Every structure is written in C-alpha cells, then in structure tokens.
Amino acid sequence: MTHTRSAQVVVIGGGQAGLAAGYHLRRLGLDFVILDAQAEPGGAWQHAWDSLHLFSPAAYSSLPGRPMPVQTGETYPEAGHVVGYLTEYERRYELPVHRPVRVLGVHRDGALLHVETDSGGWRAQAVISATGTWWRPFLPAVPGRAEFVGRQLHTVEYRSPRDFAGQRVIVVGGGNSGAQIAADLAYDTELTWVTQRPPRFLADDIDGRALFDVATARRRALDEGRTDTEGVMSLGDIVAVPPVREARDAGLLKVSPMFVRLDRDGIVWADGTRAPADAVIWCTGFRPALSHLAPLGLRGPRGHIPTAGTRALGEPRLHLLGYGDWTGPASATLIGVGRPARDAAREIAELLMSGG
C-alpha cells in the first residue's frame, strides 16, 4: 500500500541542482525531502560518455559550501570525478534524498501541492523542480531518418569510440557535445562531422570560469534594461577542452554542412552528394524534462514555463532550477546553480513565513 507524507518543501531531482537547493533549504532550517529517480547518487553525470570532461577546473566547478577536490593529473575533471563529488556532497550535508523515486505528477491540492510518485504521495507547501534536461534528448525531424538501416543514437547513448572502431560515423551537432564526441571518434573511425553552421571555437584560454562571468553579466544587463550582450554566444559555441584542441590542431575536426535527408545507406546533401554511414550520432541537444508538471498547466513558448527568476509565474509555490539561463544565469552548470538555488530557497522561506 502507498501512503501520503508531508514536508514543507519537496525537491524533485537529486542531481547537482537538487543538491544545491537542499544545501540552502537546510541552512534556512526548512523541512524538505529530495526525490531522485536514479538508483545511485550523481545525477546525469553517471550516465555520461567515458571521455567527458568538465569545461572548468575543479576549483571553478563547485556547489555551494564544498569545493570540488582537485583530481590528480587532470586540469578538467572527468565525469566520474563529478559523480564522486556529488555522492560525497550529499553525504556530507546529510541531505534527505529518497531514491529511486519517480515523480509522476504535481497537482494543486488546495493550499498545498500534491506530489504523486511511484511510491506514494507527498503534500508540500512548495516544490522545487530540478530534473534538468538529460532525460529528454531532442532528435530533429530530418527526412529519411526512419529509412536509414545503420545505427542511430543520441548523445545520451554514446559511451566510447571502441564501439565504432573502423566504422563510418556521422556526428551531427556543432555544440560542445558534438565537438567532444567528434574529437573522441576522430582517430579510429571514418568520421564526418556535420553542423548547421560553421562551429565557433572559443579562445583556448576561455573555459567555464569566463563563461559563468559572461552569463552573469548578461543577466545583470537584462535586469537593468541595458542592451543584450548575447552572453556566451558572443564568444563562441565550443569550449576548446584539451581533447578537442588536440584533434582540431591535428586537422582531424573537418566540418561538413548539414545534409538535407538520410537514405537507406547514409546521408544526402542538397546537391545530391552522398556519404555512406554505419552510424549516425545525434548531438542535437535537449529539452527541459517537465512532464511531471503538466497537471499544473503552466507550459509556455518553446516548452518553457514562464518564470520570474526561478519562481513559476502561474504557480508561486513552484520553483524551477537548473534548466538553463531562463531559470538563472548558467544555472545548468555546477558553479552557476548555487546562486539561483539560494534565491529559490529564500523566496520559499519568505512564502512560508507569510502563510502564502
């Protein structure tokens, strides 16, 4: 039998954003739980490809209150190091994480919100949704995708170049994931890297530290009514982490324009040129994982829920954290999520004190 429990605040998601929220809720003395669908700590980082590295050194990749330890011999920590850090962070602050718990829906229940899960319900005075985007990969509607007989996978399914050794591989996408996976495959496959527009590499000395500062400055400018600086987009699209830099400098990251369709054997460009392929890897991004909030009827343009900071405009008891700049500057990054998490926790504390 399932039963319904209560907490002042329910946090949905036990990755970096959920843990940052938990840290600040604990500091404010609020009664809260974190519901995590994953069986182990580490959020999406535990599902990343083998060679994935952060864009910033450990000292600039920390959650509030606890610096990330430096990884011996690594300027940019690997994904496994992040998993270990998040696991230790959760334990250090004794955060009340319940797992695996899958949230099915959030419903209004009079003065409360009812969080429906696969292991019973929770009644809460406020909810923080921190489910991220990893669980909702985006695949573009390219003609012929269903005709292709080779292997197709998204970034979330890629693990290692060993799985493609000697094969003809198409990597689609000009962002950081596309560049890192293309660099990973450049040595042992017949690689074709396809992008919608020519990729723009950031200067080699720019990493996540500078990106966070630029994103913060952009948000400040917008809040003050000044001209949009375009944030990190004004600098480029791709952080030149060492593996990307090495493959680029070796001349292995040659770029082809976007094709118009797939056929049975590969890809086809507008002029009829074809490239046969054994596999296509779609590094085409993500959408916010918000299906659990559908019962609240808040969805706005582009799948986003309109917010003021992290607070949902249509439901003041709900905060959204870690989905991108629309929920706080650089809030989808380790270093960037701390400030909006703090602001969300403070707003919730004020709401509870006012009896709202």
Side-chain angles (χ1 to χ4, degrees), residues 1 11 26 34 55 63 69 76 86 114 169 175 237 260 281 306 348:
M1 292 183 60
V11 179
R26 168 135 296 167
I34 300 174
F55 301 151
L63 292 180
Y76 298 90
L86 296 179
H114 179 79
V169 183
D237 303 313
V260 294
I281 303 176
I348 288 171

Side-chain angles (χ1 to χ4, degrees), residues 4 20-21 56 58 84 101 114 126 154 178 225 236 238 243 248 273 289 292 321 330 347 355:
T4 300
S56 305
V101 177
H114 179 79
H154 189 271
I238 299 168
R248 180 201 64 193
T273 303
H292 57 290
L321 182 62
E347 279 199 43

Side-chain angles (χ1 to χ4, degrees), residues 265-306:
D265 301 313
I267 59 175
V268 185
W269 281 279
D271 63 359
T273 303
R274 285 174 161 77
D278 301 299
V280 176
I281 303 176
W282 299 95
C283 302
T284 46
F286 302 83
R287 297 292 183 265
L290 299 174
S291 61
H292 57 290
L293 300 178
L296 298 175
L298 301 171
R299 192 70 66 92
R302 298 174 56 203
H304 293 178
I305 292 175

Side-chain angles (χ1 to χ4, degrees), residues 113 125-127 311-319 347-348 351:
L113 293 173
Q125 294 169 266
V127 167
R311 176 174 49 81
L313 292 178
E315 176 48 77
R317 298 168 293 184
L318 172 68
H319 286 253
E347 279 199 43
I348 288 171
L351 177 74

Side-chain angles (χ1 to χ4, degrees), residues 2-152:
T2 60
H3 59 285
T4 300
R5 290 165 283 183
S6 297
Q8 286 181 302
V9 187
V10 170
V11 179
I12 305 171
Q16 62 198 39
L19 298 186
Y23 171 85
H24 285 292
L25 292 169
R26 168 135 296 167
R27 292 196 70 186
L28 292 171
L30 298 181
D31 169 43
F32 69 97
V33 295
I34 300 174
L35 306 181
D36 187 19
Q38 303 303 298
E40 302 290 339
W45 292 100
Q46 62 191 299
H47 303 289
W49 63 91
D50 295 350
S51 65
L52 176 62
H53 284 68
L54 294 180
F55 301 151
S56 305
Y60 294 88
S61 302
S62 301
L63 292 180
R66 179 66 172 168
M68 180 184 287
V70 175
Q71 187 177 17
T72 304
E74 287 282 3
T75 303
Y76 298 90
E78 61 186 11
H81 185 68
V82 181
V83 172
Y85 168 69
L86 296 179
T87 301
E88 192 275 338
Y89 188 94
E90 184 179 311
R91 182 169 52 243
R92 176 183 179 86
Y93 293 110
E94 298 180 339
L95 298 177
V97 182
H98 297 239
R99 65 165 58 92
V101 177
R102 188 166 65 91
V103 173
L104 306 176
V106 179
H107 307 262
R108 294 182 179 89
D109 186 9
L112 302 174
L113 293 173
H114 179 79
V115 181
E116 177 191 4
T117 83
D118 59 359
S119 59
W122 288 85
R123 288 193 179 94
Q125 294 169 266
V127 167
I128 296 177
S129 181
T131 50
T133 61
W134 183 264
W135 321 111
R136 196 176 166 215
F138 171 72
L139 290 172
V142 177
R145 210 177 71 201
E147 299 176 24
F148 179 60
V149 298
R151 184 180 178 191
Q152 294 189 63

Side-chain angles (χ1 to χ4, degrees), residues 241-260:
V241 294
V244 171
R245 194 180 312 157
E246 291 164 12
R248 180 201 64 193
D249 293 348
L252 299 176
L253 290 185
K254 297 175 182 177
V255 179
S256 297
M258 186 62 189
F259 50 89
V260 294

